Amino acid sequence: MDEAAAVPDGPRSAGGRSRDAGRIEDALTTPLVEAVRDLDGYGGLVYLRSRDRRSLVLAMVTGVPRSLLRSWWRVPVGGALPMAEAYRRDETLWLPDERAGMVRFPHFTAGLPYSFGSAYQPVRSGGETVGVLVVLRSAARAPIDAPAVDLALRPAERAMEEGLDRLAPRRPGPGPAAYRVEYDDEPISVRLPTSAARPVRVGLIDWDLDSDRCTADDEALELLGIDRAGYGGAIVDIEARVSPDDLHELRESRHDALADGRVRSRHFRVRDESRGEGKTSYRPVELWGHLVHGGAGSGRILVGALVDAGGGLAAAEAAERLPDGLFSLDQDGRLTYANRRCEELLGSGREELFGRYPWEVITWLRDPAYEDRYRAAMLSQEQVSFLVRHPNGIWLSFVLYPDVHGLTGRVFATGPPTGAAQGPEAGSATVPGVSAPAPGPVTAARAGALYHVVQMASVLTEAVTVQDVCRAVSEQLLPAFGARELALYTVREGRMYLLWESGYPEGFLTPFEGVTLDTQLPGVHALTTRLPLFFESPEDLSLAYPGITLDRMNAWSFLPLIASGRSVGSCILGWDTPHRFTPDERSALTALSGLAAQAMERARLYDSESAVARGLQEGLLPHRLPAVEGLRTTGRYLPGTQGMAIGGDWYDVITTGRGVALVIGDVEGHSVGAAAVMGQLRSAVHAFAASERPPQEVITHTNRLLTELESDIFATCCYIELDPRTGRALAVRAGHPPPLLRHPDGRAETLDLVGGVMLGVQPDSVYPVTALTLAPGSVLALYTDGLVERPGSDIETGIDAVRRRLSETPADSVEYLADRLVGTARRARERPDDVALLLTAYR
């Protein structure tokens, strides 16, 4: 099983698996079972990362039916799920009950609306996180706190790490470990140990029906209470041990064998003297067998098995005498036992029910709400009760008693609940002494589909640009449905153009770029007909579209992207194995494609507006800075990633009669309005500076102008007038972060400039002037707060980090130095604020 191995780098066999790779269950089974025990839980899961690192794949499950978790066999690493968050953050997560889950992970709880606690512990190998251990715990058990959970799971975590490390040994020689722990197969089910029970004893006999001679093994003689030394080998020796009341049963076994060729469950009791109490007691025994005809000269022999029926037979007989219906379901919900009264109440025979789901066989139990009661019992490990109205008019009360190996149920006739409705809602009514039904009338598949739809809607609300939408769709759909390829196309002027692809061979999609809407392709037809297309094998796709170019995939879905009645494009998903699309999966994919289309249309309008806004902002910022003898200047601007991706940050270099003015400012907000105010302020500062007003007057007049605009927008600014001949400078600061100065020896400091209030707050504010002197070889850095502010950290820490980087970076090239200072901000996926930087090197 290649996908189930922890595979180190190195030689691989023809099957694709490393020759020295072991089985994943060798590393996970014992620690998983012990983790469930140590946390007093009832179930456990282990997720491991997939080959492409996009998903967490359920590798092992115990105590919980795999079928109930089908929609969570594969989850996106970036999803709003507790196991994904524990993996991303590499820290233990504890949700004591469904209320805690609803607060932190509302979408996940909506998909599994049951009462249970859950703990999530990262699993490591080779020093990196490769998966997550999950333990499920009844919310009704004694509460425990997060530190106790972490302490309880540590031994299992260490044991898993050691086991996985053994499967993926280190590369010989120096260097990092070559671990590749990954999983892409179906989950492995592990049964939790059962409580100690008396083993079933079975003995074998050969009964020659012609001579009445009987040979028996040691277990059969022990069941009969016969000592081998005193056993004469005749059937009469056995009859002497049988209760006189049951001799007929034993003797009828001969008749059964001769008439039917077999014996089916003949019961009789034998004397049991093992207790040594001086009183005769009896042990029930069951005989099964079939007739064998020997060759010439041989007799007719009954080859039989004697079974100790003490436990099972007594329990079954007791259950048959109960006035209530009694039934048992295995862990997956299939019926394994029903007494006669249960047959009568349900109106269905045991033979029809055995091995099947009751809600599939009995038509009036097919409401998804009833199957959900079983799921609620198994996932909460608490008693669940509900009422159902039988088609003949009587009310039946069902009580479910779960444990980790299955479920026992009781059903009995009862009176209608007070105010009972006459319709489907009646199935969820309650009666005194019967607990309320569990919430959530949805099937497991529907629950999973609900989660994916809600999760996609949540993620898409935060996607702003078309690229954001494409990335979100890719990150959600591929892991959620186990697909390997995704392509998103948009339609423009009657042609299809690729917006995003993931997983395709290089160049495979090139021939399809720009195809017209009359091309015979499934992606085009899905868009023009507005109907999704599903192909479960290459044969199906080739039959529908003869000659179509196929890649390595084996199943496909082609989904139209329709928004408000307008055709937006197509979404194509590919699976690397033949894939059966269930009705629920088809519905979920269709719904998700609609969400993606709406988000894409909204993002396309946003991108158009943003292009106009960015053009406005680019026109307001200086295209080049003036050349000044003795100075080298350069600027950088990075828009924020939120909102319109434009803002009010600006910088400028202005020549004056006394030297050069270095300016940086920040208008609050990220909108076209903020950019417009920024343009007005930049023009005002430029005009005041060019008229050779002193620095204090430049800022004072600019402040008065902003207050007169009555825009309710404030701004910060730092203005430094520098004489390049002497290095002397006058600085004014209006609510702006302090400049940084790198001295010729490489030491950098934060300049403590006396400052005034932000621009636009008070029309008559006074702004002090600070005198500075720059030595040749100095570098002055002016910046906006977007460069130094980080979520969860104060601005002083950010300023100090930039100061250190300014000191540690060579100042030979002012361009290189600027790139280094904005490098961290440029690489950040999320920038809450704009970033502006103006560097001036003084020669």
Side-chain angles (χ1 to χ4, degrees):
M1 188 168 61
D2 175 48
E3 296 84 351
V7 185
D9 293 341
R12 301 175 68 83
S13 63
R17 177 180 174 176
S18 173
R19 287 189 293 269
D20 61 349
R23 300 188 314 157
I24 206 76
E25 49 264 55
D26 295 339
L28 302 180
T29 301
T30 300
L32 175 60
V33 172
E34 291 179 350
V36 175
R37 179 201 62 197
D38 293 344
L39 203 59
D40 196 17
Y42 66 81
L45 323 169
V46 178
Y47 282 91
L48 295 177
R49 62 190 182 184
S50 61
R51 284 195 300 265
D52 57 15
R53 303 298 193 264
R54 291 193 183 108
S55 310
L56 293 176
V57 181
L58 185 58
M60 184 167 286
V61 57
T62 186
V64 184
R66 293 193 321 163
S67 57
L68 295 191
L69 303 170
R70 183 64 183 85
S71 297
W72 284 269
W73 282 13
R74 181 183 294 269
V75 299
V77 166
L81 295 162
M83 62 284 285
E85 180 166 313
Y87 176 82
R88 293 194 305 268
R89 295 190 175 185
D90 191 25
E91 60 185 29
T92 306
L93 178 62
W94 167 234
L95 302 176
D97 51 35
E98 74 278 11
R99 292 181 294 276
M102 180 60 73
V103 170
R104 296 194 58 178
F105 304 97
H107 305 140
F108 178 63
T109 309
L112 283 175
Y114 310 109
S115 175
F116 63 90
S118 50
Y120 305 83
Q121 177 72 34
V123 175
R124 298 175 180 85
S125 179
E128 61 177 316
T129 302
V130 298
V132 178
L133 163 66
V134 184
V135 175
L136 306 179
R137 191 175 189 269
S138 172
R141 291 200 176 273
I144 55 177
D145 55 20
V149 170
D150 183 68
L151 184 64
L153 294 181
R154 287 294 177 185
E157 175 208 348
R158 288 192 293 269
M160 285 187 179
E161 182 174 8
E162 292 171 359
L164 291 174
D165 287 353
R166 285 194 297 270
L167 294 183
R170 292 178 179 271
R171 180 190 294 117
Y179 291 90
R180 276 188 52 208
V181 176
E182 55 194 28
Y183 194 84
D184 271 301
D185 209 338
E186 288 192 3
I188 302 166
S189 291
V190 175
R191 187 173 177 85
L192 285 175
T194 57
S195 57
R198 188 178 66 177
V200 176
R201 299 164 60 192
V202 180
L204 302 178
I205 64 170
D206 289 344
W207 180 0
D208 187 329
L209 300 181
D210 294 322
S211 66
D212 269 343
R213 300 294 297 173
C214 184
T215 60
D217 65 7
D218 291 341
E219 191 71 23
L221 292 177
E222 187 174 345
L223 280 173
L224 295 169
I226 299 175
D227 181 77
R228 178 166 293 281
Y231 179 50
I235 196 65
V236 293
D237 297 321
I238 295 177
E239 290 181 350
R241 301 294 303 172
V242 175
S243 168
D245 294 334
D246 296 340
L247 275 175
H248 176 73
E249 283 292 305
L250 175 58
R251 291 166 180 169
E252 278 297 294
S253 301
R254 174 197 293 272
H255 178 269
D256 293 344
L258 294 175
D260 303 324
R262 66 182 61 222
V263 176
R264 298 179 184 229
S265 187
R266 281 290 181 176
H267 298 274
F268 51 89
R269 291 166 294 168
V270 296
R271 288 202 306 271
D272 184 4
E273 298 163 351
S274 60
R275 299 183 183 180
E277 297 175 352
K279 295 182 180 178
T280 302
S281 60
Y282 291 92
R283 176 192 298 119
V285 174
E286 191 173 354
L287 176 62
W288 293 75
H290 65 276
L291 188 63
V292 175
H293 293 277
S298 298
R300 295 168 294 179
I301 299 174
L302 175 64
V303 178
L306 284 175
V307 182
D308 184 357
L313 177 61
E317 290 178 345
E320 292 297 330
R321 290 191 287 268
L322 289 175
D324 297 340
L326 196 67
F327 61 91
S328 178
L329 307 181
D330 65 16
Q331 200 181 47
D332 284 324
R334 294 180 175 86
L335 190 124
T336 58
Y337 172 77
N339 68 357
R340 189 170 292 105
R341 180 56 175 159
C342 183
E343 289 184 89
E344 295 171 356
L345 291 172
L346 299 182
S348 185
R350 278 177 274 197
E351 292 75 12
E352 185 181 5
L353 288 169
F354 280 168
R356 303 178 66 185
Y357 300 110
W359 46 85
E360 290 183 353
V361 178
I362 303 171
T363 56
W364 46 274
L365 285 179
R366 287 181 183 171
D367 190 309
Y370 302 137
E371 181 187 353
D372 188 64
R373 301 304 191 267
Y374 146 77
R375 191 164 33 258
M378 293 301 295
L379 289 177
S380 68
Q381 286 295 295
E382 297 178 26
Q383 174 185 325
V384 170
S385 306
F386 57 97
L387 290 179
V388 181
R389 188 175 184 182
H390 193 281
N392 64 14
I394 67 169
W395 287 87
L396 297 177
S397 179
F398 287 80
V399 187
L400 310 180
Y401 306 91
D403 76 0
V404 296
H405 302 296
L407 178 151
T408 298
R410 186 166 66 98
V411 57
F412 55 92
T414 186
T418 304
Q422 300 299 314
E425 298 301 321
S428 59
T430 59
V431 294
V434 179
S435 62
V442 289
T443 65
R446 291 188 178 95
L450 172 64
Y451 166 75
H452 295 311
V453 172
V454 173
Q455 172 70 5
M456 176 75 88
S458 173
V459 172
L460 289 179
T461 58
E462 301 175 2
V464 178
T465 67
V466 170
Q467 287 296 297
D468 291 340
V469 171
C470 292
R471 183 182 299 108
V473 171
S474 178
E475 291 177 351
Q476 293 297 313
L477 284 186
L478 287 174
F481 294 91
R484 296 298 184 186
E485 292 180 347
L486 177 139
L488 290 169
Y489 280 87
T490 186
V491 59
R492 294 196 306 268
E493 300 177 353
R495 292 179 179 273
M496 302 283 286
Y497 296 96
L498 182 67
L499 284 175
W500 184 280
E501 68 86 13
S502 177
Y504 280 89
E506 184 176 356
F508 179 81
L509 297 177
T510 302
F512 305 109
E513 185 69 3
V515 298
T516 60
L517 298 186
D518 58 359
T519 308
Q520 297 299 306
L521 290 171
V524 175
H525 285 170
L527 176 65
T528 55
T529 63
R530 302 191 174 191
L531 296 174
L533 301 175
F534 300 93
F535 299 96
E536 298 184 345
S537 68
E539 292 75 19
D540 291 346
L541 180 57
S542 297
L543 183 64
Y545 294 89
I548 190 172
T549 304
L550 299 178
D551 63 355
R552 58 190 177 184
M553 295 295 104
N554 285 281
W556 296 264
S557 68
F558 299 86
L559 308 170
L561 302 178
I562 310 297
S564 302
R566 182 179 178 277
S567 298
V568 176
S570 293
C571 173
I572 304 172
L573 289 168
W575 283 258
D576 58 0
T577 58
H579 186 81
R580 178 178 173 272
F581 296 95
T582 65
D584 283 322
E585 192 172 43
R586 293 176 185 236
S587 298
L589 286 169
T590 304
L592 291 170
S593 66
L595 290 175
Q598 293 286 350
M600 194 172 294
E601 186 70 356
R602 183 185 69 246
R604 186 156 59 180
L605 294 174
Y606 177 88
D607 283 350
S608 299
E609 295 175 2
S610 295
V612 174
R614 284 193 298 272
L616 169 64
Q617 187 173 42
E618 290 171 1
L620 294 174
L621 288 172
H623 294 287
R624 62 183 179 86
L625 299 176
V628 180
E629 186 177 355
L631 300 179
R632 285 182 297 164
T633 59
T634 189
R636 296 291 186 271
Y637 174 78
L638 302 176
T641 58
Q642 299 176 0
M644 292 289 289
I646 62 171
D649 290 15
W650 92 93
Y651 57 86
D652 210 347
V653 177
I654 309 164
T655 56
T656 70
R658 294 184 297 272
V660 62
L662 310 172
V663 189
I664 196 158
D666 183 0
V667 177
E668 67 172 353
H670 306 87
S671 64
V672 175
V677 171
M678 177 269 282
Q680 292 174 298
L681 290 184
R682 177 173 178 259
S683 298
V685 171
H686 204 286
F688 293 142
S691 66
E692 300 190 11
R693 294 177 184 271
Q696 183 180 23
E697 290 188 20
V698 172
I699 298 302
T700 301
H701 283 73
T702 304
N703 173 60
R704 188 174 294 116
L705 172 65
L706 183 56
T707 56
E708 291 173 355
L709 290 177
E710 297 182 350
S711 62
D712 293 328
I713 292 179
F714 305 120
T716 66
C717 183
C718 186
Y719 182 98
I720 299 178
E721 188 177 80
L722 173 66
D723 183 351
R725 295 168 300 176
T726 64
R728 295 189 180 94
L730 298 175
V732 179
R733 188 165 68 95
H736 201 81
L740 299 174
L741 179 62
R742 187 185 195 274
H743 295 280
D745 60 1
R747 179 176 53 89
E749 66 171 317
T750 302
L751 296 178
D752 186 16
L753 303 183
V754 180
V757 299
M758 297 173 64
L759 302 176
V761 177
Q762 298 174 353
D764 55 352
S765 295
V766 176
Y767 296 92
V769 178
T770 302
L772 304 170
T773 300
L774 274 63
S778 301
V779 179
L780 184 66
L782 306 181
Y783 55 91
T784 58
D785 55 6
L787 182 66
V788 294
E789 285 185 332
R790 294 290 179 271
S793 177
D794 57 65
I795 191 171
E796 287 77 13
T797 301
I799 292 174
D800 191 57
V802 174
R803 180 193 62 76
R804 290 196 306 272
R805 196 174 301 120
L806 177 64
S807 174
E808 296 165 357
T809 305
D812 300 334
S813 168
V814 71
E815 299 293 339
Y816 174 74
L817 182 56
D819 288 338
R820 283 280 296 163
L821 293 183
V822 301
T824 301
R826 190 187 301 277
R827 291 189 298 269
R829 185 173 178 178
E830 299 292 339
R831 280 193 304 275
D833 203 357
D834 304 356
V835 173
L837 172 70
L838 177 64
L839 285 185
T840 302
Y842 175 55
R843 293 298 180 185

